[in-house]
Amino acid sequence: MAEVLRPAPRDRNDFRIAIICALKTEFDAVEGLFDHFWEGDQKYGKADGDPNAYSTGRIGEHDVVLAFMPGMGNLNSANTSAALRSSFGGIRLGLVVGVCAGAPYTPEKDPKEIILGDVIISTGVVQTDFGREYSDQIIIKDTLEDSLGRPNVEIRSFLRKLSGIRAGKQLREGTYSYLLGLLKQEGYEAYGYPGAKEDTLYKSEYRHKHHAPIQCDVCSKCENDWDPVCTTSQNSTCAELHCDSQMLIDRQRLQQLRTGNRSDKLYPPPGPNVHMGRISSAGQTKKTAAGRDKLAKEKNIIGFEMEGAGVWDNLPTVVIKGVCDYGDSHKNKNWQNYAAAAAAACMKAFLAQWTLADRDRSEVPLSNLEKRDVYDRIQLTNPSSLHNTASVLYEKGTGEWVFRTPEWDSWLSKSDKRCLWVHGVPGSGKTVLMSHIINHVEHSCNQTTNNGRTCLVYYYCYFGRNQNEVAPMLRWVISQLSRKADIISARVHALVNTGIEPKLSDLLDALEDTLRAFDKVYLAVDALDETTHIMDLLNILYALATENRFQKLQLLVASREYHDIERVIKPVCISVSLSNDFVAEDIRVYLESAIQNDRHFSHPRWTSDLLQLIIDLLPRKANGM
Ligand SMILES: [Zn+2]
Ligand SMILES: [Zn+2]
């Protein structure tokens, strides 16, 4: 077991990679390659109603969750992956790992042999309906061509990288070394290489049925591909049926394995080749060599399995499967264990090259419509009408005094305190002033050319709502920032995905996530005193103003001068009172201009001495009003 350096995931949303297996033998092979299991105190549980059983742990540097399907087929894999997504909201990559049937050759002009035990990595999944293998209505879900299914740039570019010479070599070598490691483990004795002699590819037209000298009424009448064979033959081995070795197709790679003094049952086994290409994902259907060849030729299919398409609809998917038969009537189960081991080894080599993305790229892949739905469900209270009303009431020229204060400079230059508290007596015009400051800061954010990485979000508390404004405020801010960044992080998605009211700690975690998309966020909150449960709001603002994880926040809050507020806020804030000389000056400027422009004051009874007296006296008596 490798040493675990990074801390365990905090919760289920920290998992990025899911592995899904249909067979016990596949599941066991994958578990054998875990470097560490999260158990005991680090059990992560699952969402209500999720029937899946999970193993969680670490493979290489990745935290992974492994799900075991209740049965084979796309219906099971669709249900399993949908439930998995409800429990693990941050999954970015779903790997379907196990065994499949392989086409004998790759579709290139210069075809390469695919032999049993090779591994296929899907670049796309072609869904063929149940029992309709010959149907022309084949749905293609192609990662590379985007013809259908979830477009995922991350997977597409990664697969392109893997198809390069150097990355491909690493993948092959990694696969081989993990495979050898797994086969040496206790409990995996039955997973060894079955031997080149057991790898038999018959000519496509040669059926698996009773052959001479065995007498069989049904099988003897079978001449074409669609003629029936007897039930006994379907459950018998080629040796029992006397399938003719003269009808085998020569395989270059197997001949090489058989040459020399090496015994057929090689140990160590030959290194599996890794092929990248399209996989057909079908319902349970009778496989024939003719059907296989047709799909291989017409759709460039190299692998045939039954689970990939079901997962595809729920998660960004890559299918990694070991070839255990050739998808014809001659198939047997000798190769299942070894092919499952090879696939699991390839999965681990695949993950070794899959980069652990920066946390701020840990977004949940959603369509624009889905994103809008999430934004709407996150926000509870929309304060924009209050902001718009206050902005309309603003008198041009007033409020400019704020930007001349040393406190403003100090706040902007982000001294030791990153919160500015504007306070005043009731009726002093705090809200109108705040709306002006908000518009001013927002304007300068838009002027800066840093790709929107600096922005402002505001919230107005309002007594008329008679509510505790903490959660509505946080939810509004999270939805606004997610919208601006066009990213929904796993934690943000989980807020509305679980169906239960998020805890405050969840909201703060989600806010922390959304901040990753920005260099600086100005958060303006007006009228702190108008919330119910004011201590809740003050405690949250205190956390936002002091905790390191929120250091990208520049806070701007406004309220009346209540003792409670002052006690909590003042120690961590730069404070600006509306009763100050700058305001008096502001009022004087306003009066002067009003008197000059208003014809009422041109009446002779307003002597210039009287007017001067008003201009001098009124601002001083106003005291911030
Ligand atoms: Zn028969
Ligand atoms: Zn046979």
Side-chain angles (χ1 to χ4, degrees):
M1 291 277 152
E3 195 180 347
V4 175
L5 295 172
R6 268 188 314 121
R10 280 178 292 184
D11 54 40
R12 293 199 299 270
N13 289 316
D14 272 356
F15 288 85
R16 298 286 170 266
I17 290 162
I19 302 163
I20 295 161
C21 295
L23 301 173
K24 179 77 167 52
T25 183
E26 300 168 343
F27 182 86
D28 285 341
V30 170
E31 273 205 326
L33 288 168
F34 269 53
D35 292 308
H36 188 86
F37 288 95
W38 301 127
E39 284 165 338
D41 291 345
Q42 287 153 340
K43 281 279 185 200
Y44 291 96
K46 56 185 179 178
D48 282 348
D50 176 354
N52 293 344
Y54 298 112
S55 288
T56 55
R58 189 165 284 169
I59 296 178
E61 63 170 351
H62 301 284
D63 293 310
V64 301
V65 51
L66 169 61
F68 185 27
M69 288 168 48
M72 295 174 75
N74 278 318
L75 187 61
N76 278 318
S77 69
N79 290 337
T80 299
S81 52
L84 189 150
R85 199 178 156 192
S86 74
S87 286
F88 294 82
I91 297 297
R92 273 212 330 271
L93 174 67
L95 298 176
V96 185
V97 180
V99 297
C100 70
Y105 301 96
T106 60
E108 294 101 44
K109 281 215 175 67
D110 176 24
K112 294 184 187 68
E113 282 181 343
I114 298 173
I115 62 171
L116 301 187
D118 278 359
V119 182
I120 291 171
I121 295 179
S122 68
T123 55
V125 171
V126 175
Q127 187 175 12
T128 45
D129 286 343
F130 176 78
R132 291 163 66 100
E133 200 166 303
Y134 295 95
S135 163
D136 289 334
Q137 289 179 314
I138 287 170
I139 306 163
I140 298 181
K141 301 184 172 193
D142 197 314
T143 327
L144 290 179
E145 289 158 31
D146 265 1
S147 55
L148 242 184
R150 193 179 301 281
N152 190 315
V153 181
E154 193 174 20
I155 288 178
R156 290 211 308 271
S157 44
F158 181 67
L159 291 178
R160 277 200 201 96
K161 181 193 147 195
L162 275 191
S163 63
I165 291 172
R166 194 175 71 90
K169 185 163 175 277
Q170 277 178 9
L171 184 69
R172 228 171 23 252
E173 290 172 355
T175 300
Y176 192 48
S177 105
Y178 294 129
L179 176 63
L180 294 183
L182 181 65
L183 297 185
K184 276 182 206 145
Q185 279 187 44
E186 195 187 333
Y188 291 87
E189 294 80 8
Y191 282 70
Y193 183 65
K197 206 184 268 175
E198 299 295 314
D199 185 342
T200 48
L201 172 64
Y202 288 90
K203 289 178 177 164
S204 290
E205 63 279 9
Y206 188 68
R207 293 289 299 270
H208 183 70
K209 59 166 191 166
H210 286 115
H211 297 287
I214 304 169
Q215 298 294 318
C216 173
D217 287 349
V218 184
C219 290
S220 61
K221 294 194 188 81
C222 166
E223 287 171 359
N224 292 308
D225 212 43
W226 49 88
D227 290 336
V229 295
C230 74
T231 319
T232 315
S233 72
Q234 287 172 20
N235 298 317
S236 306
T237 65
C238 291
E240 287 164 346
L241 299 180
H242 289 265
C243 287
D244 188 356
S245 61
Q246 295 298 311
M247 301 305 282
L248 289 173
I249 294 172
D250 277 346
R251 309 288 274 162
Q252 293 290 322
R253 286 174 60 198
L254 292 176
Q255 292 217 319
Q256 285 165 14
L257 286 174
R258 288 176 182 134
T259 56
N261 293 325
R262 293 183 296 185
S263 72
D264 190 33
K265 202 138 187 151
L266 285 170
Y267 192 85
N273 278 6
V274 180
H275 310 276
M276 295 175 59
R278 279 188 183 171
I279 282 186
S280 151
S281 190
Q284 188 121 33
T285 172
K286 202 178 117 205
K287 287 291 188 337
T288 65
R292 173 198 72 199
D293 293 347
K294 182 179 157 73
L295 274 172
K297 187 165 167 245
E298 292 177 2
K299 303 289 175 194
N300 292 342
I301 305 292
I302 59 172
F304 304 82
E305 56 89 74
M306 302 196 302
E307 285 82 30
V311 179
W312 196 283
D313 289 330
N314 293 303
L315 296 170
T317 304
V318 175
V319 180
I320 301 178
K321 294 221 164 172
V323 178
C324 71
D325 62 54
Y326 291 111
D328 56 15
S329 51
H330 299 280
K331 64 182 176 184
N332 61 54
K333 295 198 170 178
N334 289 350
W335 287 83
Q336 263 192 7
N337 284 359
Y338 177 74
C346 183
M347 165 212 75
K348 187 163 181 175
F350 180 99
L351 287 178
Q353 293 197 50
W354 178 267
T355 346
L356 199 64
D358 299 342
R359 290 271 299 139
D360 58 358
R361 286 176 60 228
S362 67
E363 64 209 81
V364 179
L366 294 174
S367 71
N368 287 336
L369 201 67
E370 289 172 315
K371 277 184 188 165
R372 274 203 297 278
D373 177 57
V374 172
Y375 301 143
D376 290 346
R377 282 158 65 203
I378 291 172
Q379 78 179 48
L380 295 176
T381 302
N382 184 336
S384 51
S385 64
L386 286 175
H387 173 71
N388 294 339
T389 307
S391 300
V392 168
L393 292 174
Y394 170 72
E395 289 278 359
K396 198 168 186 315
T398 60
E400 292 295 324
W401 62 269
V402 172
F403 311 125
R404 296 196 301 271
T405 59
E407 288 86 356
W408 180 261
D409 285 341
S410 162
W411 176 66
L412 268 191
S413 63
K414 207 172 173 182
S415 54
D416 55 331
K417 290 168 180 171
R418 58 174 187 261
C419 181
L420 186 73
W421 176 37
V422 178
H423 51 91
V425 294
S428 54
K430 291 184 299 296
T431 295
V432 173
L433 176 64
M434 274 295 268
S435 75
H436 177 57
I437 299 175
I438 286 166
N439 290 329
H440 174 88
V441 174
E442 198 159 42
H443 181 72
S444 55
C445 286
N446 294 338
Q447 298 298 103
T448 57
T449 53
N450 64 350
N451 302 323
R453 288 188 64 91
T454 300
C455 72
L456 174 138
V457 184
Y458 59 73
Y459 189 81
Y460 288 69
C461 301
Y462 179 51
F463 72 94
R465 295 189 201 113
N466 193 30
Q467 68 179 3
N468 186 335
E469 299 276 18
V470 172
M473 186 262 295
L474 287 173
R475 294 179 69 138
W476 168 259
V477 172
I478 290 164
S479 85
Q480 287 297 297
L481 291 179
S482 299
R483 265 181 222 267
K484 283 174 196 282
D486 194 28
I487 287 174
I488 294 179
S489 76
R491 276 172 215 282
V492 171
H493 194 238
L495 294 181
V496 291
N497 206 26
T498 55
I500 52 168
E501 191 63 29
K503 298 193 293 276
L504 277 185
S505 59
D506 295 337
L507 291 170
L508 290 175
D509 285 348
L511 176 62
E512 180 190 351
D513 265 14
T514 58
L515 288 174
R516 292 176 203 279
F518 299 93
D519 295 331
K520 185 183 279 189
V521 171
Y522 295 96
L523 171 58
V525 184
D526 184 49
L528 306 186
D529 45 275
E530 296 197 24
T531 181
T532 66
H533 307 83
I534 189 159
M535 284 315 292
D536 289 355
L537 181 59
L538 294 177
N539 286 335
I540 289 294
L541 290 172
Y542 184 88
L544 296 182
T546 53
E547 286 182 23
N548 233 357
R549 57 182 176 148
F550 300 120
Q551 61 181 338
K552 286 177 181 174
L553 281 179
Q554 285 281 100
L555 286 156
L556 175 65
V557 298
S559 78
R560 297 179 184 181
E561 292 152 335
Y562 286 167
H563 180 66
D564 280 349
I565 301 178
E566 186 173 344
R567 190 168 49 82
V568 179
I569 289 283
K570 202 165 186 183
V572 295
C573 281
I574 301 162
S575 97
V576 177
S577 169
L578 261 71
S579 318
N580 65 45
D581 292 343
F582 291 100
V583 182
E585 172 66 12
D586 220 36
I587 296 173
R588 204 183 58 77
V589 169
Y590 174 72
L591 283 176
E592 261 180 4
S593 110
I595 286 167
Q596 270 167 20
N597 296 329
D598 193 322
R599 61 186 175 83
H600 291 106
F601 291 109
S602 57
H603 193 276
R605 78 163 180 258
W606 293 99
T607 64
S608 60
D609 284 353
L610 185 57
L611 287 173
Q612 194 56 50
L613 195 65
I614 292 171
I615 290 168
D616 287 346
L617 214 54
L618 194 58
R620 266 183 269 160
K621 292 287 174 193
N623 194 24
M625 288 291 281

